[in-house]
Amino acid sequence: QVRLVESGGGSVQTGGSLRLSCAFSGSTDATNCMGWFRQAPGKEREGVAAIEPQARTNYGNSVKGRFTISKDNAKNTLDLQMNALKPEDSAIYYCAAVQGPLCSAGLLLAFGNADYWGQGTQVTVSS
């Protein structure tokens, strides 16, 4: 059984930084491609960043150059370093994983075709 548990959310002022972490458990095959998504009140879910087993990454246009996704398979953690935060980054952030040997960070980001989701962690950026 795959379990994804996010942590690290909180409140920060504009320009500040936060680091989100997702602790995952389950088979390696179930957490090959992983990513971060976010959803603000009244808005659709948005792909933030995703990573493939070979460490190839993909980022949403609104976070490129500010956010960095990384995965530590030894520690079973998926992190999202968020810098230069803006009020529009405020949302609930979700960790997600795609099962199977063939997966694409780009497709995961674009279509949100994850098999597993975490419960989310709140990020609030004040101006």
Side-chain angles (χ1 to χ4, degrees):
Q1 184 174 351
V2 175
R3 188 164 183 246
L4 308 175
V5 180
E6 303 95 335
S7 62
S11 297
V12 65
Q13 291 188 328
T14 296
S17 298
L18 280 175
R19 188 176 184 89
L20 305 183
S21 187
C22 172
F24 59 87
S25 61
S27 67
T28 301
D29 182 61
T31 54
N32 271 332
C33 278
M34 298 190 70
W36 288 95
F37 293 78
R38 66 186 182 187
Q39 189 165 22
K43 294 188 176 181
E44 292 188 354
R45 185 181 64 199
E46 175 188 13
V48 176
I51 187 167
E52 295 176 359
Q54 300 79 13
R56 182 164 65 180
T57 58
N58 203 295
Y59 293 91
N61 288 333
S62 62
V63 306
K64 282 181 181 177
R66 299 188 298 123
F67 291 12
T68 302
I69 188 171
S70 60
K71 187 182 180 191
D72 189 329
N73 290 316
K75 296 182 179 179
N76 282 5
T77 56
L78 177 76
D79 289 346
L80 184 69
Q81 178 65 42
M82 305 186 295
N83 298 327
L85 284 162
K86 306 174 182 179
E88 50 264 43
D89 293 318
S90 298
I92 298 176
Y93 283 71
Y94 298 91
C95 173
V98 178
Q99 181 153 2
L102 300 177
C103 59
S104 162
L107 291 178
L108 173 58
L109 209 62
F111 299 107
N113 57 325
D115 298 296
Y116 306 100
W117 294 86
Q119 83 289 347
T121 186
Q122 177 72 50
V123 171
T124 303
V125 185
S126 57
S127 57

